[in-house]
Every structure is written in C-alpha cells, then in structure tokens.
C-alpha cells in the first residue's frame, strides 16, 4: 500500500470514528498531491455526505467514477443523489452498483431505500432479500426487509422476524414496535401480536411494552391474555390513562364489571379531558346501573362544541340513545340512535340519499339490514307501517330471504309494495332513498312499542307427542363482549336433569360442538329451516341472540337468560304490565318471552348460577303441567 492509500485508509478510519474534520484534513493533503486520484475523490465524497453536503458528494463521486467506475463509488453517488432528492438518478446509480458487484449487500440495501421512497415496495423487498442472502445475520437489514415486505403487502413477515428473535436486542425494540404498528394499522392484528410480544420480551421492565401487547391481544379477543399483560403494565407504570382504559374494557369483556369500573374511573382521573375515555366510563357506569352518572357524562360529550362533532361525539350520542331507550324514553332514544350513521357511514350506495321519512312519488325506498340477524328480525315488525308510506326494495342477508316470505300479509301491502332484492343483482334504477331498518321507528314517528301479533309464520310439522325444548347457549364469539351474554355449556348442564323432555339444539357455529347435555342436533340450512324447528317446539331457552327474536316474532314460548345491564331492548322499562309466570322479567317486544335476569354485576360464572337454577326449577314446574 503506497502513501496515498495509507492516507485514504487513515482518513476513512477517522470518518468511521466520527472525526469528519480529521478525515477531511488528511484527504485534502492527499488531494493536493494527486488531484485526480479516484479513491481520494471518493473519500472526499464520503466526508461531504457525512457533513450533510450531498450536493458536493455528487460532484466528487462523479469525478471518481469518471476515472474508475468502481461499484462502491456508484453506491456513494446513488446515496448522495437519494439524499439530494434525485430519486431516479440515485436508483440508476445504485442499480449499476449491484450489477458491478452483486455480492455487496450495501448496494442492494441502498437500492432498496430509494425504491421504497419511490413507492416501489415489491422491488425494494426483493433487493433487501438479496442483501439478507449476503448478510443473513444483520438485524438492521432484517428490520428494513420487514418494513418493505409489509408495505408491499406480503404475508408471514412477523413470523420470520419472531423466528429471528435471537438477532435482536433491546435497542431494536423501537423499530420492531414501528413494524407492529404498521401491521396493526392494516388490520393485521394477528401478525402484529407476535412483534408486540417480541418487543415485550426485549423490554420486560417497560410498562409500555406490556400495554401495547395487551392492547393488541384485546383487539384479537384474547381477553384472558390481555388481562395478564395489562395488569403487568399497570404494575410497572401505574396511572397511565391508555393502559387503564384498555384494562377497563378487557375486564368488562370478561364480565368483571366492578373492577372494570374501577379501572375506567382511574383512567378518567388520569386524563379528564379525554372524551374517548369518558364515553367508555359512561358505558361501564350504565352497565353497573348508574344511569344518571352515565347520562351526565354522555350529554357532556355531546354538548362539547368540538368533541360533539367528532367520532367520540357520535359514539356518545349513540350510547345516550341506547341509555334512553333502556329507560323507555323512546322518542328521544330513537332520535339519538341515528348517530350510528356518523359512526359507520353507509358507503355501499353513495349516490342514494338517506330517507327523511317522507313519501317518494315515483321512487322506491331501499330498506336494508344494518347489524345482526336479531336486529333485522326485530325491526321487520315495522315493515307494514313503512309500506303504507312508501314502496320498498328490501335488502336482507340471503339466509333470511325464505323466512321473510312467511310474513303474514292481510292487507296485501307486502305482496304489492315490497320486493326482496335478489343477491348479486344491480340496484333497481327507481330507488330514490335508503334507510336502515333500525331507523324506521324514528322516521315513522312511532314512539311506542307497536301492538304485537306474530309476524313470522313458517309451517309447523307434526310432533311426536313429546315435550320438545330448544336450547341456544352462545352468540357470535367475534362479538367483543360475548363472554357476558353466552353461557359455558357446563353451566347449563343442570337443565338436562329435568326428565321427560326432548331437548333440541338450536346452537350454530363453533359452540354447537360442545353440547351441555344430550340433545337432538341443530337444523342445517337457512333461518327458515331453523324457524320450522322452532315452530315444532314447546319452549325455547336462549341467551341474547337472534334465536330470542326469532322465537319471539313467531309467538313461540321463549325463556331468555339475560345478563345484568344487558341490551336496552330487554330492560325492565319494556316489561309488560302483567307479572311473569316463571321468570323475573317479561317483554313488550315479544309477549311470549319471559326473562331470567342476572341479579347483579358479578363475573359470569357466578352471575349465571342463580338464573340457571331458577330456570331449572321453572322448567321442572313447567314439565309438571304448569305451563
């Protein structure tokens, strides 16, 4: 190595150590002796880049390449062009570098950085795969690859990163967290969970790491694990409003209402101006029966000139609507319930205006289901009154189509003024407005529960003389708070001890595989097939699912096992005047329905014991002929 090479090597060593001035001094001295030496020019370009002068680096690297087109010169030129904002020239220079020296991981990584900034994430991911092939144990490259792969829409990214956990250390936690956030923002919570867990393992003493892992576990409905993570986060970093907010929601999902209330009250004390937390706190207060405090909080949010117009204002107004409905204040409740349109705007038919309740001369109303099957069944009772005002195109889940055709039609309104919209067909051209089924009471001005007559009437098969009892014990497990309304099969097991009955499963989905006792299997097919089974039953026992609405709408005897602080439609405000025959509640929505309500806000395992015991005793009495 000659003297000039020694000086270049020494200068680059100083630059690597952070001594830019020392490196520049050595290189200037060397340049005075050899002004066209490409290695010295390249060294000066590196110093210029390190000094924040990519414009100077471009010229110096260009002069070096003119003498010697080495791959590492092209890397420096490409990086300088990138830093100066010249993306396409930078990409071209770095592409040349990869062609000249395909075994240089730096060239592939630098090319990926430019491609990423250009939005060409698939190419960036490929370049980083090439770099990792050359340096498979480089954690920085692996993290760069992870970002590019996520941005390119790849799958299985978190799995590869988690499998390489041994390469990462605590300083990498920030970048891993950023990747987890990217995945969460794309709705890929399952993938994100692995990265949040890895961050937690790298930083076991940081409350934020546990809190973030707990939040994603909550999003995945893995409530027991979320509880452990969030309680640990609270121990490590007490009085963090977001941690306490999530902790409260998890406890609520698990049915531990008193402790959920404690956590949300603490959260609100930590962040009294956070309207999102205030709305959550109001929710748990209502569940605990403190309606006055809940209403005060919700009205405060809706009255706020800023918050009231935002998403949390809409959520507060919607929750206020359910609170008022539960109290029986139906006119105001229905009006506030319309705020759901601000929470989940209807985007399927952007050119169709929302209906205001008026007649539509020459046009028809698109009347559509919004939420679950139970809601659709409940609000179909308003269809005849709606048809007196407008003609309707009815959009329902396909599984309800045959069942709806069993609706009685004494005035011929359904036959003459209502059309079921066939699945997969274009929207009829004469549709002039749209409306969700739950908006009908408000828009029709119906502030009271309509008089009841059975409005779903499937044919009844011949029975075999035995007393037949249908049982449904679980709702949709995807519902965040399903654990409070569904009942573990073993809790219902005592009902099977009542002799002389033929039990029939009305349970569908995953829960159907775990029967609480011996019973006939559930009917296969759509809701009409289920309704035909219900029509042949002497009694339906169910938790708060669509089954209660189906049996109720058919006028069949139904006993509802209902959670404390449950859905507004089953509140005591809607009990009938006459006392129940068997349970501790009734329903003006469905006169054939009786409720067995939980008495207090205990955890589900304890809270269901008394209602199930009361129902078992009632079932035995009913079996003895008291029905």
């Amino acid at each position: 190595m000659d003297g000039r090479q020694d000086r270049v090597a020494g200068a680059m060593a100083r630059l690597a150590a952070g001594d830019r001035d020392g490196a520049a001094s050595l290189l200037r001295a060397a340049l005075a002796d050899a002004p066209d030496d490409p290695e010295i020019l390249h060294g000066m370009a590196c110093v210029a880049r390190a000094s924040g002068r990519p414009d100077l680096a471009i010229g110096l690297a260009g002069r070096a390449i003119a003498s010697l087109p080495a791959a590492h010169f092209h890397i420096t030129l490409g990086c300088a062009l990138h830093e100066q904002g010249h993306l396409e020239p930078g990409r071209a220079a770095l592409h040349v570098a990869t062609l000249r020296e395909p075994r240089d991981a730096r060239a592939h990584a630098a090319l990926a950085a430019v491609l990423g900034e250009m939005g060409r994430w698939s190419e960036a991911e490929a370049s980083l795969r090439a770099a990792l092939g050359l340096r498979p144990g480089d954690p920085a490259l692996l993290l760069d690859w992870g970002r590019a792969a996520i941005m390119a829409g790849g799958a299985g990214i978190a799995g590869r990163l988690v499998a390489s956990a041994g390469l990462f250390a605590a300083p990498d936690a920030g970048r891993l967290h950023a990747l987890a956030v990217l995945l969460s923002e794309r709705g890929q919570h399952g993938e994100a969970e692995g990265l949040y867990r890895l961050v937690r393992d790298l930083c076991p003493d940081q409350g934020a790491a546990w809190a973030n892992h707990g939040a994603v576990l909550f999003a995945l409905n893995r409530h027991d694990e979320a509880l452990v993570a969030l309680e640990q986060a609270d121990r490590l970093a007490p009085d963090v409003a977001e941690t306490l907010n999530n902790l409260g929601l998890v406890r609520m999902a698990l049915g531990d209402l008193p402790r959920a209330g404690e956590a949300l009250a603490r959260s609100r004390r930590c962040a009294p101006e956070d309207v999102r937390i205030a709305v959550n706190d109001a929710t748990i207060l209502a569940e605990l029966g403190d309606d006055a405090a809940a209403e005060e909080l919700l009205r405060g949010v809706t009255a706020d000139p800023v918050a009231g117009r935002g998403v949390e204002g809409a959520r507060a107004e919607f929750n206020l609507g359910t609170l008022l409905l539960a109290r029986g204040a139906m006119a105001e409740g229905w009006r506030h319930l319309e705020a759901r349109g601000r929470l989940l705007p209807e985007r399927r038919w952007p050119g169709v205006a929302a209906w205001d309740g008026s007649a539509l001369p020459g046009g028809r109303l698109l009347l559509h289901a919004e939420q679950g099957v139970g809601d659709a069944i409940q609000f179909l009772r308003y269809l005849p009154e709606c048809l007196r005002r407008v003609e309707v195109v009815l959009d329902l889940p396909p599984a309800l189509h045959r069942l709806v055709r069993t609706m009685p039609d004494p005035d011929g309104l359904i036959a003459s003024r209502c059309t079921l919209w066939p699945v997969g067909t274009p929207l009829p051209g004469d549709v002039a407005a749209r409306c969700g089924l739950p908006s009908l009471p408000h828009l029709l001005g119906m502030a009271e529960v309509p008089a009841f007559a059975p409005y779903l009437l499937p044919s009844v098969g011949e029975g075999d003389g035995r007393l037949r009892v249908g049982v449904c014990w679980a709702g949709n497990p995807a519902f965040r708070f399903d654990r409070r309304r569904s009942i573990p099969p073993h809790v219902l097991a005592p009902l099977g001890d009542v002799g002389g009955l033929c039990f029939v499963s009305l349970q569908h989905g995953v829960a159907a595989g775990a029967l609480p006792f011996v019973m006939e299997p559930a009917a296969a097919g759509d809701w009409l097939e289920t309704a035909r089974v219900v029509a042949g039953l002497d009694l339906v026992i169910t938790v708060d699912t669509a089954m209660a609405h189906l049996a109720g709408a058919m006028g069949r005897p139904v006993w509802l096992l209902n959670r404390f602080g449950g859905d507004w439609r089953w509140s005591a405000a809607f009990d009938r005047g006459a006392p129940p025959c068997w349970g501790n509640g009734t329903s003006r929505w469905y006169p054939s329905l009786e409720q067995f309500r939980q008495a207090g806000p205990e955890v589900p395992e304890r809270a269901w014991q008394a209602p199930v015991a009361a129902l078992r005793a009632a079932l035995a009495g009913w079996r003895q002929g008291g029905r």
Side-chain angles (χ1 to χ4, degrees), residues 266-317:
R266 284 179 59 202
S267 179
R268 195 157 63 87
R269 286 195 296 272
C270 294
E273 303 304 317
D274 191 318
V275 293
R276 178 177 52 95
I277 293 172
V279 174
N280 289 339
D281 193 20
T283 301
I284 191 62
L285 286 168
E287 293 281 355
L288 288 166
D290 193 348
D291 290 354
E295 182 176 350
E296 181 181 0
L297 271 178
L298 294 172
R299 288 194 184 277
V301 173
T302 59
D304 187 284
V306 176
R309 293 194 298 268
V311 172
E312 292 306 323
R315 194 159 70 96
E317 186 175 356

Short mmCIF file of all heavy atoms in Angstrom, two decimals, residues 266-317:
data_model
loop_
_atom_site.label_atom_id
_atom_site.label_comp_id
_atom_site.label_asym_id
_atom_site.label_seq_id
_atom_site.Cartn_x
_atom_site.Cartn_y
_atom_site.Cartn_z
N ARG A 266 -60.26 5.32 37.22
CA ARG A 266 -58.85 5.75 37.36
C ARG A 266 -58.35 6.37 36.06
O ARG A 266 -57.65 7.39 36.06
CB ARG A 266 -57.97 4.56 37.73
CG ARG A 266 -58.06 4.10 39.17
CD ARG A 266 -57.16 2.88 39.38
NE ARG A 266 -55.76 3.18 39.07
CZ ARG A 266 -54.85 2.26 38.75
NH1 ARG A 266 -55.19 0.97 38.69
NH2 ARG A 266 -53.60 2.61 38.49
N SER A 267 -58.71 5.75 34.95
CA SER A 267 -58.27 6.26 33.64
C SER A 267 -58.79 7.68 33.43
O SER A 267 -58.05 8.55 32.97
CB SER A 267 -58.78 5.33 32.53
OG SER A 267 -58.39 5.81 31.26
N ARG A 268 -60.04 7.90 33.78
CA ARG A 268 -60.61 9.24 33.57
C ARG A 268 -59.98 10.27 34.51
O ARG A 268 -59.82 11.44 34.14
CB ARG A 268 -62.13 9.20 33.76
CG ARG A 268 -62.82 10.44 33.20
CD ARG A 268 -64.27 10.17 32.87
NE ARG A 268 -65.04 9.82 34.03
CZ ARG A 268 -65.64 10.70 34.84
NH1 ARG A 268 -65.52 12.01 34.60
NH2 ARG A 268 -66.33 10.30 35.87
N ARG A 269 -59.61 9.83 35.72
CA ARG A 269 -58.92 10.76 36.61
C ARG A 269 -57.55 11.15 36.04
O ARG A 269 -57.09 12.27 36.21
CB ARG A 269 -58.75 10.15 38.00
CG ARG A 269 -60.04 10.09 38.81
CD ARG A 269 -59.77 9.83 40.27
NE ARG A 269 -59.17 8.53 40.52
CZ ARG A 269 -59.85 7.40 40.72
NH1 ARG A 269 -61.18 7.43 40.69
NH2 ARG A 269 -59.24 6.27 40.95
N CYS A 270 -56.89 10.20 35.35
CA CYS A 270 -55.58 10.49 34.75
C CYS A 270 -55.70 11.39 33.53
O CYS A 270 -54.76 12.13 33.21
CB CYS A 270 -54.88 9.19 34.35
SG CYS A 270 -54.43 8.13 35.73
N ALA A 271 -56.82 11.29 32.81
CA ALA A 271 -56.98 12.06 31.57
C ALA A 271 -58.41 12.60 31.51
O ALA A 271 -59.24 12.14 30.72
CB ALA A 271 -56.67 11.20 30.35
N PRO A 272 -58.73 13.58 32.37
CA PRO A 272 -60.13 14.04 32.47
C PRO A 272 -60.65 14.69 31.20
O PRO A 272 -61.87 14.78 31.02
CB PRO A 272 -60.07 15.04 33.63
CG PRO A 272 -58.64 15.43 33.74
CD PRO A 272 -57.84 14.26 33.33
N GLU A 273 -59.76 15.12 30.30
CA GLU A 273 -60.21 15.78 29.07
C GLU A 273 -60.36 14.81 27.91
O GLU A 273 -60.80 15.22 26.83
CB GLU A 273 -59.21 16.88 28.68
CG GLU A 273 -58.98 17.94 29.76
CD GLU A 273 -60.27 18.59 30.19
OE1 GLU A 273 -61.10 18.91 29.31
OE2 GLU A 273 -60.47 18.76 31.41
N ASP A 274 -60.01 13.56 28.10
CA ASP A 274 -60.08 12.58 27.02
C ASP A 274 -61.53 12.10 26.88
O ASP A 274 -62.02 11.33 27.69
CB ASP A 274 -59.15 11.40 27.32
CG ASP A 274 -58.96 10.47 26.12
OD1 ASP A 274 -59.96 10.18 25.43
OD2 ASP A 274 -57.83 10.02 25.88
N VAL A 275 -62.20 12.54 25.81
CA VAL A 275 -63.62 12.21 25.66
C VAL A 275 -63.82 10.73 25.35
O VAL A 275 -64.86 10.15 25.70
CB VAL A 275 -64.28 13.09 24.58
CG1 VAL A 275 -64.32 14.53 25.02
CG2 VAL A 275 -63.58 12.96 23.24
N ARG A 276 -62.86 10.10 24.69
CA ARG A 276 -62.98 8.67 24.41
C ARG A 276 -63.07 7.88 25.70
O ARG A 276 -63.90 6.98 25.85
CB ARG A 276 -61.78 8.22 23.58
CG ARG A 276 -61.72 6.75 23.25
CD ARG A 276 -60.50 6.51 22.37
NE ARG A 276 -59.31 7.07 22.99
CZ ARG A 276 -58.47 6.39 23.73
NH1 ARG A 276 -58.67 5.11 23.96
NH2 ARG A 276 -57.40 6.97 24.26
N ILE A 277 -62.21 8.23 26.67
CA ILE A 277 -62.24 7.55 27.96
C ILE A 277 -63.53 7.88 28.70
O ILE A 277 -64.12 7.03 29.36
CB ILE A 277 -61.00 7.94 28.78
CG1 ILE A 277 -59.74 7.37 28.10
CG2 ILE A 277 -61.11 7.45 30.21
CD1 ILE A 277 -58.43 7.84 28.70
N ALA A 278 -64.00 9.11 28.57
CA ALA A 278 -65.25 9.49 29.23
C ALA A 278 -66.42 8.66 28.71
O ALA A 278 -67.27 8.20 29.49
CB ALA A 278 -65.52 10.98 29.00
N VAL A 279 -66.45 8.42 27.40
CA VAL A 279 -67.53 7.61 26.83
C VAL A 279 -67.43 6.17 27.32
O VAL A 279 -68.44 5.53 27.64
CB VAL A 279 -67.50 7.69 25.29
CG1 VAL A 279 -68.53 6.73 24.68
CG2 VAL A 279 -67.78 9.11 24.82
N ASN A 280 -66.21 5.65 27.39
CA ASN A 280 -66.04 4.28 27.91
C ASN A 280 -66.48 4.19 29.36
O ASN A 280 -67.10 3.21 29.78
CB ASN A 280 -64.58 3.85 27.77
CG ASN A 280 -64.18 3.59 26.34
OD1 ASN A 280 -65.03 3.35 25.47
ND2 ASN A 280 -62.89 3.65 26.06
N ASP A 281 -66.12 5.20 30.13
CA ASP A 281 -66.51 5.21 31.54
C ASP A 281 -68.03 5.27 31.67
O ASP A 281 -68.62 4.59 32.52
CB ASP A 281 -65.86 6.41 32.25
CG ASP A 281 -65.96 6.31 33.77
OD1 ASP A 281 -66.16 5.19 34.27
OD2 ASP A 281 -65.82 7.34 34.44
N ALA A 282 -68.66 6.07 30.81
CA ALA A 282 -70.12 6.14 30.83
C ALA A 282 -70.74 4.79 30.51
O ALA A 282 -71.76 4.40 31.09
CB ALA A 282 -70.61 7.19 29.83
N THR A 283 -70.11 4.05 29.60
CA THR A 283 -70.63 2.73 29.23
C THR A 283 -70.64 1.79 30.43
O THR A 283 -71.63 1.10 30.69
CB THR A 283 -69.78 2.13 28.09
OG1 THR A 283 -69.82 3.00 26.97
CG2 THR A 283 -70.29 0.76 27.69
N ILE A 284 -69.53 1.77 31.16
CA ILE A 284 -69.48 0.85 32.30
C ILE A 284 -70.39 1.33 33.42
O ILE A 284 -71.00 0.52 34.13
CB ILE A 284 -68.02 0.64 32.80
CG1 ILE A 284 -67.94 -0.53 33.80
CG2 ILE A 284 -67.47 1.89 33.42
CD1 ILE A 284 -68.34 -1.85 33.21
N LEU A 285 -70.53 2.63 33.59
CA LEU A 285 -71.45 3.14 34.60
C LEU A 285 -72.88 2.68 34.30
O LEU A 285 -73.62 2.29 35.20
CB LEU A 285 -71.38 4.66 34.66
CG LEU A 285 -70.12 5.25 35.32
CD1 LEU A 285 -70.02 6.74 35.05
CD2 LEU A 285 -70.11 4.97 36.82
N ALA A 286 -73.25 2.73 33.02
CA ALA A 286 -74.59 2.27 32.64
C ALA A 286 -74.73 0.77 32.89
O ALA A 286 -75.78 0.30 33.37
CB ALA A 286 -74.85 2.60 31.17
N GLU A 287 -73.69 0.00 32.58
CA GLU A 287 -73.74 -1.45 32.81
C GLU A 287 -73.88 -1.76 34.29
O GLU A 287 -74.51 -2.75 34.67
CB GLU A 287 -72.47 -2.11 32.26
CG GLU A 287 -72.34 -2.06 30.75
CD GLU A 287 -73.18 -3.13 30.06
OE1 GLU A 287 -73.79 -3.96 30.76
OE2 GLU A 287 -73.24 -3.13 28.83
N LEU A 288 -73.30 -0.90 35.13
CA LEU A 288 -73.38 -1.10 36.58
C LEU A 288 -74.68 -0.57 37.17
O LEU A 288 -74.92 -0.70 38.37
CB LEU A 288 -72.19 -0.43 37.27
CG LEU A 288 -70.84 -1.14 37.08
CD1 LEU A 288 -69.69 -0.23 37.49
CD2 LEU A 288 -70.80 -2.44 37.87
N GLY A 289 -75.51 0.06 36.33
CA GLY A 289 -76.79 0.57 36.79
C GLY A 289 -76.79 2.01 37.23
O GLY A 289 -77.83 2.51 37.68
N ASP A 290 -75.68 2.72 37.09
CA ASP A 290 -75.63 4.13 37.48
C ASP A 290 -75.96 4.99 36.25
O ASP A 290 -75.12 5.66 35.67
CB ASP A 290 -74.24 4.48 38.02
CG ASP A 290 -74.22 5.83 38.73
OD1 ASP A 290 -75.21 6.58 38.61
OD2 ASP A 290 -73.20 6.14 39.39
N ASP A 291 -77.23 4.94 35.86
CA ASP A 291 -77.65 5.62 34.63
C ASP A 291 -77.50 7.13 34.71
O ASP A 291 -77.18 7.78 33.71
CB ASP A 291 -79.11 5.27 34.33
CG ASP A 291 -79.28 3.82 33.90
OD1 ASP A 291 -78.25 3.13 33.73
OD2 ASP A 291 -80.43 3.38 33.75
N ALA A 292 -77.73 7.69 35.88
CA ALA A 292 -77.67 9.15 36.00
C ALA A 292 -76.26 9.65 35.72
O ALA A 292 -76.07 10.62 34.97
CB ALA A 292 -78.13 9.59 37.39
N ALA A 293 -75.25 9.00 36.32
CA ALA A 293 -73.86 9.40 36.08
C ALA A 293 -73.48 9.17 34.63
O ALA A 293 -72.77 9.99 34.02
CB ALA A 293 -72.93 8.65 37.02
N ALA A 294 -73.92 8.06 34.07
CA ALA A 294 -73.61 7.77 32.66
C ALA A 294 -74.22 8.83 31.75
O ALA A 294 -73.56 9.34 30.84
CB ALA A 294 -74.14 6.39 32.28
N GLU A 295 -75.45 9.18 31.99
CA GLU A 295 -76.12 10.18 31.15
C GLU A 295 -75.43 11.53 31.25
O GLU A 295 -75.26 12.24 30.25
CB GLU A 295 -77.59 10.31 31.54
CG GLU A 295 -78.34 11.30 30.67
CD GLU A 295 -79.83 11.36 31.00
OE1 GLU A 295 -80.32 10.49 31.77
OE2 GLU A 295 -80.51 12.26 30.48
N GLU A 296 -75.03 11.90 32.46
CA GLU A 296 -74.34 13.19 32.63
C GLU A 296 -73.05 13.24 31.81
O GLU A 296 -72.76 14.24 31.14
CB GLU A 296 -74.03 13.42 34.11
CG GLU A 296 -73.35 14.76 34.39
CD GLU A 296 -73.03 14.96 35.86
OE1 GLU A 296 -73.34 14.06 36.67
OE2 GLU A 296 -72.46 16.01 36.22
N LEU A 297 -72.29 12.16 31.84
CA LEU A 297 -71.05 12.11 31.06
C LEU A 297 -71.33 12.20 29.57
O LEU A 297 -70.69 12.95 28.83
CB LEU A 297 -70.30 10.81 31.37
CG LEU A 297 -69.30 10.81 32.51
CD1 LEU A 297 -68.70 9.42 32.67
CD2 LEU A 297 -68.19 11.83 32.26
N LEU A 298 -72.30 11.42 29.10
CA LEU A 298 -72.59 11.37 27.67
C LEU A 298 -73.13 12.70 27.17
O LEU A 298 -72.75 13.17 26.08
CB LEU A 298 -73.59 10.24 27.37
CG LEU A 298 -73.06 8.82 27.63
CD1 LEU A 298 -74.18 7.81 27.50
CD2 LEU A 298 -71.93 8.50 26.67
N ARG A 299 -74.00 13.32 27.94
CA ARG A 299 -74.54 14.62 27.50
C ARG A 299 -73.44 15.68 27.51
O ARG A 299 -73.44 16.59 26.67
CB ARG A 299 -75.71 15.04 28.39
CG ARG A 299 -76.97 14.22 28.16
CD ARG A 299 -78.19 14.86 28.80
NE ARG A 299 -79.38 14.04 28.68
CZ ARG A 299 -80.19 13.98 27.60
NH1 ARG A 299 -79.91 14.74 26.54
NH2 ARG A 299 -81.26 13.22 27.60
N GLY A 300 -72.49 15.55 28.44
CA GLY A 300 -71.38 16.49 28.44
C GLY A 300 -70.54 16.38 27.18
O GLY A 300 -70.10 17.39 26.61
N VAL A 301 -70.31 15.16 26.70
CA VAL A 301 -69.53 14.98 25.47
C VAL A 301 -70.31 15.50 24.27
O VAL A 301 -69.76 16.22 23.42
CB VAL A 301 -69.18 13.49 25.27
CG1 VAL A 301 -68.52 13.28 23.90
CG2 VAL A 301 -68.24 13.02 26.37
N THR A 302 -71.59 15.19 24.17
CA THR A 302 -72.36 15.62 23.00
C THR A 302 -72.52 17.15 22.97
O THR A 302 -72.65 17.73 21.89
CB THR A 302 -73.76 14.98 22.99
OG1 THR A 302 -74.46 15.32 24.19
CG2 THR A 302 -73.64 13.47 22.89
N ALA A 303 -72.49 17.77 24.15
CA ALA A 303 -72.65 19.23 24.19
C ALA A 303 -71.36 19.97 23.90
O ALA A 303 -71.38 21.18 23.63
CB ALA A 303 -73.19 19.65 25.56
N ASP A 304 -70.24 19.28 23.95
CA ASP A 304 -68.95 19.94 23.69
C ASP A 304 -68.89 20.40 22.24
O ASP A 304 -69.12 19.62 21.32
CB ASP A 304 -67.81 18.95 23.97
CG ASP A 304 -66.44 19.62 23.88
OD1 ASP A 304 -65.98 19.87 22.75
OD2 ASP A 304 -65.83 19.87 24.93
N PRO A 305 -68.58 21.68 21.99
CA PRO A 305 -68.62 22.21 20.61
C PRO A 305 -67.62 21.55 19.67
O PRO A 305 -67.82 21.57 18.46
CB PRO A 305 -68.32 23.70 20.79
CG PRO A 305 -67.67 23.82 22.14
CD PRO A 305 -68.22 22.72 22.97
N VAL A 306 -66.55 20.99 20.22
CA VAL A 306 -65.56 20.31 19.36
C VAL A 306 -65.77 18.80 19.38
O VAL A 306 -65.99 18.17 18.35
CB VAL A 306 -64.12 20.67 19.80
CG1 VAL A 306 -63.11 19.89 18.97
CG2 VAL A 306 -63.89 22.16 19.67
N ALA A 307 -65.73 18.22 20.56
CA ALA A 307 -65.85 16.77 20.67
C ALA A 307 -67.18 16.27 20.16
O ALA A 307 -67.27 15.19 19.57
CB ALA A 307 -65.64 16.35 22.12
N GLY A 308 -68.24 17.06 20.37
CA GLY A 308 -69.57 16.62 19.97
C GLY A 308 -69.71 16.40 18.49
O GLY A 308 -70.57 15.64 18.05
N ARG A 309 -68.85 17.03 17.70
CA ARG A 309 -68.95 16.89 16.24
C ARG A 309 -68.09 15.75 15.71
O ARG A 309 -68.19 15.40 14.54
CB ARG A 309 -68.54 18.20 15.55
CG ARG A 309 -69.51 19.35 15.79
CD ARG A 309 -69.23 20.48 14.81
NE ARG A 309 -67.89 21.03 14.97
CZ ARG A 309 -67.59 22.07 15.74
NH1 ARG A 309 -68.54 22.66 16.44
NH2 ARG A 309 -66.36 22.53 15.82
N GLY A 310 -67.24 15.19 16.56
CA GLY A 310 -66.32 14.16 16.11
C GLY A 310 -66.86 12.76 16.32
O GLY A 310 -68.03 12.55 16.68
N VAL A 311 -65.98 11.80 16.11
CA VAL A 311 -66.37 10.39 16.24
C VAL A 311 -66.82 10.07 17.65
O VAL A 311 -67.84 9.38 17.85
CB VAL A 311 -65.18 9.48 15.84
CG1 VAL A 311 -65.50 8.02 16.16
CG2 VAL A 311 -64.86 9.63 14.36
N GLU A 312 -66.09 10.58 18.65
CA GLU A 312 -66.48 10.28 20.03
C GLU A 312 -67.80 10.94 20.39
O GLU A 312 -68.57 10.41 21.19
CB GLU A 312 -65.38 10.69 21.00
CG GLU A 312 -64.11 9.86 20.89
CD GLU A 312 -64.37 8.36 21.01
OE1 GLU A 312 -65.25 7.98 21.80
OE2 GLU A 312 -63.70 7.59 20.31
N GLY A 313 -68.06 12.10 19.79
CA GLY A 313 -69.36 12.73 20.00
C GLY A 313 -70.48 11.86 19.45
O GLY A 313 -71.54 11.71 20.06
N ALA A 314 -70.24 11.28 18.27
CA ALA A 314 -71.24 10.38 17.67
C ALA A 314 -71.42 9.14 18.53
O ALA A 314 -72.55 8.66 18.74
CB ALA A 314 -70.80 10.00 16.26
N ARG A 315 -70.31 8.60 19.04
CA ARG A 315 -70.41 7.41 19.90
C ARG A 315 -71.16 7.74 21.18
O ARG A 315 -71.98 6.94 21.66
CB ARG A 315 -69.01 6.89 20.21
CG ARG A 315 -68.99 5.49 20.81
CD ARG A 315 -67.63 4.83 20.64
NE ARG A 315 -66.60 5.43 21.46
CZ ARG A 315 -66.24 4.97 22.65
NH1 ARG A 315 -66.84 3.91 23.17
NH2 ARG A 315 -65.28 5.56 23.33
N ALA A 316 -70.89 8.92 21.74
CA ALA A 316 -71.59 9.33 22.96
C ALA A 316 -73.08 9.49 22.69
O ALA A 316 -73.92 9.07 23.50
CB ALA A 316 -71.00 10.65 23.47
N GLU A 317 -73.43 10.08 21.54
CA GLU A 317 -74.85 10.27 21.24
C GLU A 317 -75.55 8.93 21.02
O GLU A 317 -76.67 8.72 21.49
CB GLU A 317 -75.02 11.15 20.00
CG GLU A 317 -76.47 11.49 19.74
CD GLU A 317 -76.67 12.46 18.59
OE1 GLU A 317 -75.67 12.95 18.03
OE2 GLU A 317 -77.84 12.72 18.26
#
